[in-house]
Amino acid sequence: MNVELRFFATFRQAVGQKVVEREYPEGTTIGEALYDLEAEYEGLAGQLIEDGDLRPHINVLKSGREALHLDGMETELEDGDRLSIFPPVAGG
């Protein structure tokens, strides 16, 4: 299945582009995709996952829906999904 991965702010810098297309086998979860990304991109290593879960303040949206409001890291991806990955944001 084909999934579009979108990266924002410092994550975009780590990957070197805003959008990456990936092919995953049926049944791949968000967690598995994030583990793959951490392994592939040195700048993402340790930035997405902590103790088997999303790091605090990381936002991951599956086709516009917050992964934490679905099944979190166990949410299965589907063909045509768009996975948007946002780093922590600070401001005032």
Side-chain angles (χ1 to χ4, degrees):
M1 70 183 157
N2 187 283
V3 176
E4 179 182 278
L5 305 166
R6 300 176 133 219
F7 303 92
F8 295 86
T10 56
F11 291 164
R12 182 183 304 168
Q13 292 170 343
V15 172
Q17 53 194 349
K18 180 178 182 172
V19 178
V20 174
E21 298 275 334
R22 286 287 186 272
E23 286 289 326
Y24 292 107
E26 293 293 324
T28 298
T29 65
I30 287 176
E32 291 167 330
L34 295 179
Y35 277 112
D36 287 349
L37 290 170
E38 282 196 340
E40 181 176 352
Y41 296 102
E42 185 176 320
L44 292 181
Q47 298 300 306
L48 306 176
I49 300 167
E50 182 177 282
D51 297 327
D53 208 352
L54 281 175
R55 288 195 62 165
H57 310 295
I58 299 293
N59 291 312
V60 175
L61 280 66
K62 178 188 180 245
S63 297
R65 296 193 59 206
E66 177 65 53
L68 292 177
H69 298 297
L70 299 169
D71 289 324
M73 297 275 283
E74 297 303 315
T75 303
E76 287 192 12
L77 295 169
E78 299 172 13
D79 188 47
D81 271 344
R82 182 179 61 246
L83 199 62
S84 302
I85 306 166
F86 298 86
V89 178

